[in-house]
Amino acid sequence: MKHTSIKLNTPCEFINITPVNPLISKCQIKVCYVDDKPNRNKSVITKDVAIEMANSLPGSPIVGFFNENTEDFEEHNRIIELSNGEFRMRDNTRPYGFVDLGAKVWF
């Protein structure tokens, strides 16, 4: 299997990308650092917490916001709208995939 890695400016990294068809690919995603290395939002996740979080990953949707101006994915964004004198928060992320039910988690 060829190892493909796409390094991003964030600690999220896509590896082992395997096209299924022209619209769908399978891959592995590195999503956070564990223990002593701070994450992008300055949080530190212990291995025990990471293991607990990993148990809830299978079947979870992968959502994000693609900024067309910068042509890059950003964090989970929300929009504040004002209508009839009332503020409303609206999530503007979109689904891009899901975590396989048989996903293997490693640290």
Side-chain angles (χ1 to χ4, degrees):
M1 174 188 286
K2 181 182 174 194
H3 175 3
T4 303
S5 179
I6 301 171
K7 186 69 175 156
L8 304 173
N9 292 331
T10 65
C12 182
E13 186 177 353
F14 298 86
I15 60 174
N16 298 329
I17 300 166
T18 306
V20 175
N21 67 45
L23 299 175
I24 298 174
S25 294
K26 291 177 81 171
C27 68
Q28 295 173 327
I29 304 173
K30 294 182 182 180
V31 296
C32 68
Y33 296 111
V34 175
D35 284 334
D36 57 350
K37 188 169 184 177
N39 289 287
R40 182 177 64 168
N41 65 0
K42 310 290 189 249
S43 66
V44 176
I45 300 171
T46 66
K47 190 167 185 176
D48 289 339
V49 169
I51 290 168
E52 187 177 323
M53 290 171 26
N55 291 331
S56 67
L57 282 176
S60 296
I62 298 172
V63 298
F65 172 73
F66 184 76
N67 185 328
E68 292 182 11
N69 294 328
T70 61
E71 297 184 344
D72 196 7
F73 282 93
E74 296 181 357
E75 58 190 306
H76 304 280
N77 290 4
R78 292 191 175 152
I79 297 172
I80 300 174
E81 295 178 334
L82 175 62
S83 178
N84 297 324
E86 293 186 19
F87 287 100
R88 184 178 84 140
M89 297 284 288
R90 183 171 60 88
D91 191 340
N92 70 340
T93 59
R94 294 187 177 177
Y96 288 95
F98 69 96
V99 178
D100 189 280
L101 293 173
K104 305 285 187 275
V105 177
W106 75 97
F107 305 99

